[in-house]
Amino acid sequence: MKITYFGHSAFLVETNEKSVLIDPFITGNPHAEQAGIQADALNCDAILLTHGHEDHLGDTEAIAKRTGALVVATFELAMYLQAKGCAVHPMGLGGRRSFEFGEVQFTLAHHSSSVIDDNGVPVYLGNPAGIIFQAEGKTLYHAGDTALFMDMQIIGQQNQIDLAMLPVGDNFTMGMSDAVEALKWLKPAQVVPIHYNTFPPIQVEIKEFPAMAEVTGVSASVLEPGHSLTL
Ligand code: NI
Ligand code: MN
């Protein structure tokens, strides 16, 4: 399984001879743009979304329509994208389903989920989520945007997580120290910090994170946008 980071919360996972995008915010994502990533050059079989905020929904509609990729999201967000003409599969928190590309379960996330309409008013789109993704015997946990929450203990008990992607940018989500607390409960083999240094409110000293994570025995990889790791 090859996992490529596009900055912020966006990843491409290549597994089972399929390509799966998670939260493909490319256009307007300074990290992706600096790395020369272009939304119209990305191909995939499926797009997994944690919630409807623009920095996660990103280029989903354009990529899904161009490629025919199946968008897997919580119910209201899936229906919103279906109305825009995307192929979707709706799910709910706690539900698990096998697809050709792998198995998906949506988990709790403590956050919100909305899109801003043409009048600047938020339209609510149901529950935000985290994602457990399993394929080729590997387990990923993409936490989406979330506060620290104690049910991460259950996620850690029920899954042997090979790689956790955890937000660390603070302000809208956990900061670095809460992400370290999360590691104690999730017990992943590895962690990649996400959702930091994209915009002024989420600036952190990311170089401090690996040493902070090390205290829990978890190795942290600070991935450069455009770079990959293999599980
Ligand atoms: Ni958000
Ligand atoms: Mn976000």
Side-chain angles (χ1 to χ4, degrees), residues 145-157:
D145 282 357
T146 187
L148 179 66
F149 60 96
M150 209 158 187
D151 286 5
M152 284 178 176
Q153 281 189 349
I154 297 174
I155 297 172
Q157 281 165 11

Side-chain angles (χ1 to χ4, degrees), residues 29 58-59 61 74 111 166 203:
N29 170 350
D59 297 285
E61 186 183 336
T74 50
H111 190 61
L166 299 184
Q203 295 292 330

Side-chain angles (χ1 to χ4, degrees), residues 165-180:
M165 296 102 141
L166 299 184
V168 300
D170 231 325
N171 193 83
F172 297 112
T173 68
M174 299 190 284
M176 293 198 291
S177 55
D178 277 356
V180 169

Side-chain angles (χ1 to χ4, degrees), residues 111-197:
H111 190 61
S112 64
S113 181
S114 61
V115 290
I116 307 301
D117 74 9
D118 293 341
N119 299 316
V121 177
V123 175
Y124 275 86
L125 288 174
N127 290 315
I131 296 167
I132 294 282
F133 178 71
Q134 293 174 309
E136 294 180 291
K138 303 293 180 189
T139 300
L140 310 182
Y141 169 53
H142 187 301
D145 282 357
T146 187
L148 179 66
F149 60 96
M150 209 158 187
D151 286 5
M152 284 178 176
Q153 281 189 349
I154 297 174
I155 297 172
Q157 281 165 11
Q158 292 190 335
N159 299 280
Q160 289 233 325
I161 300 168
D162 295 287
L163 178 66
M165 296 102 141
L166 299 184
V168 300
D170 231 325
N171 193 83
F172 297 112
T173 68
M174 299 190 284
M176 293 198 291
S177 55
D178 277 356
V180 169
E181 289 302 306
L183 292 176
K184 295 175 187 171
W185 292 332
L186 295 165
K187 300 183 175 66
Q190 272 190 81
V191 61
V192 169
I194 63 175
H195 209 271
Y196 64 90
N197 294 0

